[in-house]
Amino acid sequence: MKITFLIHTVYGVGGTIRTTLNLAAALSDRHDVTIVSMLRNRAQPKFRVDPRITVTPLVDIRRDSPDLEDPLSREPSRVFPDTDNQYKKYSRLTDRRAEEYLRACDADIVIGTRPGINVYLARFGPRRALRIAQEHLTHDIHPKKLNTVLARHYRDLDAVVTTTEADAAVYRSKMRMPGVRILAVPNSVPAPPGPPSDGSAKVVAAGGRLVRSKRFDLLIEAFGKVAAEYPDWTLRIYGAGNDHDRLRRLIEERGLTDRAALMGVVSPIEAEFAKASIVAVASDAESFGMTIVEAMRCGVPVVSTDCPLGPAEIIEDGVDGRLVPVRDPQALAAALIELIADDELRRRMGRAALAASRRFDPATVARAYETLFAELAATRWSRAWQRNRPRVRNRLRRFLRRVRPQRRRRTV
């Protein structure tokens, strides 16, 4: 079977890129897999690409690229939704290349990985192929105007796949899409190559983009309370972002310069998580929680805010990690101290986390997708009828509204 993924760019760094490469590699065991990168912004991908995967870039936006000389590259896209936050990177050239590629695509399955790209898929994707939209964010994070656009286009697809069951339930309740299968399949994370954490290092780690929504400021505040009781423990925060300078100042103001550090970007992150004994997540919201799974795959328990939507579907509170209220530094500090104070509890949770994390293995997730492919193929015609029945009913109603006045006039 031929499977094609459509991605914003495979050449950068990010959770969607990682999980797409993980899934594509797992599917390559039994299928012919291509990743189509809408944009190419560097010579080689940052992450390793399985050699069995074909990578096809559509528009090269590197500084000396001939594509930048094309007049269409200077005209804004007419297809990609302007409420998708990557809109400014798309042009009429991207529209044309996407349409040309998809019209000629001979894949059996085509999977889009972000909202604007899923609109391309709905507009231009081959009708003979099964067309699937992945949602790596959440319905309620999208602007309302974007959801209005998506509702119109997603009706023409075969499935919408979210990363959490909670988000799938939101899509089912807020987007009426007859004939479109809406379900949750988690992101995949491979087992790291090195040994898991033994739980002895006096290190709390955290990772992600240094942005306000990740609430590293709250984590630093909570760790101040931890450091007061356990001064031999340290906090390491991995990542980069606009909040870097503010967080550095906060560390200095809290007197934690020797206890907390901003470590920069490290990829892959698992080797660093394996050097820690606890990983902390303080986010206000998570569409899934890749950091949580990456830590668990290293045998490290995670203390996370119980934020919408992912953590509660990954962590079993008190068994393989802890869930605490959102925006509550006291509760976050207390949960960290609970694990720091009890070596056996921390190590037991770490072992449980490692065991539970195996459900996110790429091979397991790939089998879930293969099951979905088979189900969609078997129900193609019945779902087409479900999709078209409202349209047929509406056309019939409009026809009857036109015919009835004519009959009345003839009777009179």
Side-chain angles (χ1 to χ4, degrees):
M1 191 157 51
K2 292 183 178 181
I3 302 171
T4 294
F5 289 88
L6 310 176
I7 194 168
H8 172 61
T9 177
V10 77
Y11 296 89
V13 176
T16 299
I17 301 171
R18 289 203 311 274
T19 193
T20 299
L21 289 172
N22 293 341
L23 178 57
L27 290 169
S28 293
D29 289 341
R30 290 173 295 279
H31 308 285
D32 181 1
V33 180
T34 296
I35 295 179
V36 175
S37 185
M38 294 291 156
L39 304 176
R40 181 177 192 171
N41 57 335
R42 56 172 54 94
Q44 297 297 328
K46 283 281 192 179
F47 294 128
R48 177 185 176 275
V49 179
D50 190 297
R52 297 171 298 175
I53 299 169
T54 300
V55 174
T56 302
L58 294 188
V59 176
D60 193 334
I61 60 172
R62 288 177 291 174
R63 182 171 299 175
D64 299 325
S65 168
D67 284 346
L68 298 182
E69 301 302 318
D70 191 312
L72 291 178
S73 71
R74 294 187 287 275
E75 296 184 35
S77 170
R78 296 180 181 177
V79 179
F80 197 89
D82 61 7
T83 45
D84 186 306
N85 62 17
Q86 294 294 342
Y87 173 71
K88 291 183 179 179
K89 295 180 181 178
Y90 284 74
S91 65
R92 286 195 62 198
L93 181 61
T94 326
D95 293 349
R96 188 179 72 181
R97 296 272 175 87
E99 181 175 8
E100 289 173 349
Y101 182 88
L102 288 168
R103 297 287 191 206
C105 182
D106 64 349
D108 302 293
I109 314 286
V110 186
I111 303 172
T113 60
R114 74 169 298 115
I117 293 172
N118 294 334
V119 172
Y120 280 145
L121 178 57
R123 287 279 301 273
F124 308 132
R127 294 298 188 264
R128 60 169 293 279
L130 294 173
R131 298 176 297 162
I132 299 170
Q134 286 183 344
E135 278 287 354
H136 289 274
L137 292 175
T138 67
H139 178 281
D140 291 344
I141 284 177
H142 295 325
K144 289 183 179 179
K145 289 183 179 179
L146 178 58
N147 278 329
T148 299
V149 173
L150 297 182
R152 185 166 68 249
H153 289 287
Y154 280 10
R155 294 189 188 104
D156 293 325
L157 301 177
D158 292 282
V160 174
V161 179
T162 65
T163 58
T164 66
E165 179 54 43
D167 196 35
V170 174
Y171 272 92
R172 293 186 196 109
S173 66
K174 294 187 176 181
M175 279 194 189
R176 288 281 300 160
M177 297 184 288
V180 180
R181 180 89 159 84
I182 302 174
L183 74 159
V185 180
N187 287 336
S188 63
V189 177
S197 168
D198 64 5
S200 63
K202 296 181 178 182
V203 175
V204 176
R209 290 178 298 116
L210 304 186
V211 295
R212 301 261 175 169
S213 64
K214 296 296 184 182
R215 296 309 308 269
F216 290 113
D217 57 338
L218 186 143
L219 174 58
I220 291 167
E221 181 182 348
F223 188 74
K225 303 178 189 304
V226 173
E229 292 192 37
Y230 294 90
D232 51 346
W233 278 71
T234 60
L235 171 65
R236 299 174 184 172
I237 299 174
Y238 297 89
N242 296 333
D243 223 18
H244 178 277
D245 292 345
R246 186 176 74 94
L247 295 174
R248 179 179 52 77
R249 288 193 298 271
L250 184 58
I251 288 171
E252 293 171 354
E253 291 166 3
R254 296 275 175 176
L256 296 172
T257 305
D258 296 330
R259 305 261 55 85
L262 302 177
M263 307 295 292
V265 175
V266 177
S267 181
I269 191 63
E270 287 88 341
E272 301 306 316
F273 283 168
K275 297 175 186 176
S277 293
I278 304 169
V279 165
V281 174
S283 301
D284 285 338
E286 288 284 347
S287 56
F288 174 63
M290 284 286 285
T291 296
I292 297 173
V293 179
E294 288 164 343
M296 292 172 70
R297 298 234 67 174
C298 297
V300 181
V302 179
V303 175
S304 172
T305 51
D306 190 9
C307 61
L309 291 166
E313 294 189 23
I314 301 172
I315 295 171
E316 186 176 356
D317 186 32
V319 176
D320 50 29
R322 289 298 319 276
L323 294 170
V324 300
V326 176
R327 301 178 184 178
D328 188 340
Q330 300 282 356
L332 182 59
L336 290 171
I337 289 171
E338 177 188 19
L339 295 187
I340 288 170
D342 192 331
D343 292 348
E344 176 52 34
L345 173 65
R346 186 173 68 248
R347 291 189 172 105
R348 184 169 68 247
M349 281 193 179
R351 292 191 296 270
L354 182 62
S357 71
R358 295 188 181 110
R359 70 188 188 274
F360 301 102
D361 189 85
T364 302
V365 175
R367 285 194 293 273
Y369 269 95
E370 288 174 325
T371 299
L372 173 62
F373 300 157
E375 177 191 328
L376 293 176
T379 60
R380 182 191 289 270
W381 298 112
S382 62
R383 288 185 299 100
W385 169 240
Q386 292 174 35
R387 180 185 298 117
N388 291 319
R389 184 168 52 188
R391 297 171 184 172
V392 172
R393 186 185 300 118
N394 289 337
R395 288 172 184 170
L396 180 59
R397 286 172 178 168
R398 287 196 298 270
F399 173 76
L400 292 175
R401 281 198 295 268
R402 289 196 304 269
V403 170
R404 283 169 182 164
Q406 294 175 8
R407 288 181 175 176
R408 292 193 191 100
R409 285 196 295 270
R410 287 173 185 170
T411 302
V412 173

